[in-house]
Amino acid sequence: MMKKPNYYSNREFDRLDHLRDDPDWLQSMLTTEKCRLLPVWRNQHLVTPDPLPVSYPGNAAGALLELAEDQILLGRDTQGLIWLALDISQLEQPDAALTGQDELRFQDLRSIGPLLDRHTGALLAHARAMAYWHRHHRYCGVCGSPTLSTRAGNMRLCSDPECQQAHHPRIDPAVIMLVHNGDYCLLGRQPAWPAGMHSTLAGFVEPGESLEDAVAREVSEEAGIRVANIRYHSSQPWPFPSSIMLGFYAEAASKEIQVDGVELESAGWFHRDQLLNSPENDQFRLPRRDSISWRLIETWMHAKHGA
């Protein structure tokens, strides 16, 4: 049985890969009401006070299309709407250029993500990730020449005719793991996190390393714990700025914690009942509810016989 998808993922969304090389189709869509345009400004989305994302129908947003540095086809939702992200990061005052309505504002998905439904969160995450990738790949990594957006914003091509290197969207794989021992699990804290927040350990996968090796290495480096019986749970897109989080459970083969003092400022073993009754205050709180870290902890907390 397929697991419930993690937040920011949406398997029902059709990314329309077969239409990305059809500029005539895209141009015809841009002038219809069923085409919805999502402005993205420096990793932020235009939202109402609710908050709900603001989008514009293609047949009433010609000026917005002209403002965009990049037009990025995202895909089609289950209602048949075609979604495009428009990067307007070059504007210094985007609110005035778009609407002039004081109640609308640009906000980072980090601050509003937990308040959105899963499908809306996934759509904004997709738009944010693609806009970020475009802004950081303006020049060819092979020859340094400017790159051009192609395939409806899903590829960039080097403009040098002697190079013509194709650049595809990239994400950074990272492992995130709940280490457990009986009715206790290992949680750590980074100094930059909100007051009291504790979470699972995580880290980026290095070249030449399997996912399981990355799990074992990160736990050893950050907390001095050896692990065994590493098992995959699920994954989550995490566009902050461009990661894919690969979730695991692992059993502790040792229990003495030695915090590295760099990635973590503290770590400890927490009983299942303690987490089930977490006070959620500045002394102790669990991670944000839109994160895979919360999903790993929640599943383990309610398991009858371990993770």
Side-chain angles (χ1 to χ4, degrees), residues 175-205:
V175 290
I176 183 165
M177 45 277 173
L178 182 70
V179 179
H180 57 93
N181 184 285
D183 283 330
Y184 290 84
C185 72
L186 178 68
L187 299 180
R189 171 168 172 76
Q190 294 184 10
W193 288 348
M197 195 182 94
H198 288 68
S199 187
T200 53
L201 275 56
F204 290 107
V205 181

Side-chain angles (χ1 to χ4, degrees), residues 175-179 186 200-204 206 209 211-228 230 250-264 267 269:
V175 290
I176 183 165
M177 45 277 173
L178 182 70
V179 179
L186 178 68
T200 53
L201 275 56
F204 290 107
E206 296 185 353
E209 187 174 51
L211 301 180
E212 293 82 0
D213 290 346
V215 168
R217 174 184 55 76
E218 286 289 345
V219 176
S220 176
E221 289 177 353
E222 294 185 5
I225 300 293
R226 293 181 293 105
V227 297
I230 299 169
E251 295 178 5
S254 61
K255 291 193 66 177
E256 184 177 351
I257 298 173
Q258 295 179 327
V259 175
D260 67 352
V262 178
E263 295 291 333
L264 299 179
W269 293 102

Side-chain angles (χ1 to χ4, degrees), residues 3 20 32 42 45 48 52 71 79 81 85 88 103 129 136 140 146 191 195 203 225 259 270 291-292:
K3 290 186 177 77
R20 292 174 181 172
T32 66
R42 302 178 186 179
H45 303 278
T48 66
L52 290 172
Q71 300 176 14
Q79 305 302 312
L81 296 176
I88 56 171
E103 70 273 17
H136 288 79
C140 178
I225 300 293
V259 175
F270 295 85
S291 68
I292 189 175

Side-chain angles (χ1 to χ4, degrees), residues 92-269:
E92 292 300 325
Q93 295 182 318
D95 305 62
L98 281 178
T99 65
Q101 301 179 44
D102 293 338
E103 70 273 17
L104 303 183
R105 64 201 183 280
F106 278 91
Q107 282 196 273
D108 195 300
L109 187 57
R110 278 185 178 274
S111 64
I112 62 172
L115 304 176
L116 303 173
D117 69 80
R118 182 171 63 83
H119 295 289
T120 302
L123 179 65
L124 297 191
H126 187 183
R128 186 191 200 276
M130 290 300 296
Y132 177 88
W133 173 75
H134 274 278
R135 290 198 307 278
H136 288 79
H137 289 81
R138 300 290 187 200
Y139 296 93
C140 178
V142 177
C143 73
S145 299
T147 58
L148 305 173
S149 178
T150 62
R151 300 207 74 224
N154 284 271
M155 188 176 83
R156 295 191 73 89
L157 188 66
C158 178
S159 60
D160 186 338
E162 295 186 3
C163 179
Q164 291 192 318
Q165 176 68 40
H167 300 273
H168 300 274
R170 292 288 185 266
I171 54 175
D172 302 315
V175 290
I176 183 165
M177 45 277 173
L178 182 70
V179 179
H180 57 93
N181 184 285
D183 283 330
Y184 290 84
C185 72
L186 178 68
L187 299 180
R189 171 168 172 76
Q190 294 184 10
W193 288 348
M197 195 182 94
H198 288 68
S199 187
T200 53
L201 275 56
F204 290 107
V205 181
E206 296 185 353
E209 187 174 51
S210 72
L211 301 180
E212 293 82 0
D213 290 346
V215 168
R217 174 184 55 76
E218 286 289 345
V219 176
S220 176
E221 289 177 353
E222 294 185 5
I225 300 293
R226 293 181 293 105
V227 297
N229 192 21
I230 299 169
R231 292 172 291 125
Y232 175 76
H233 179 268
S234 61
S235 63
Q236 179 186 39
W238 193 246
F240 307 112
S242 57
S243 297
I244 176 74
M245 307 301 294
L246 304 153
F248 289 85
Y249 287 113
E251 295 178 5
S254 61
K255 291 193 66 177
E256 184 177 351
I257 298 173
Q258 295 179 327
V259 175
D260 67 352
V262 178
E263 295 291 333
L264 299 179
E265 66 174 15
S266 63
W269 293 102

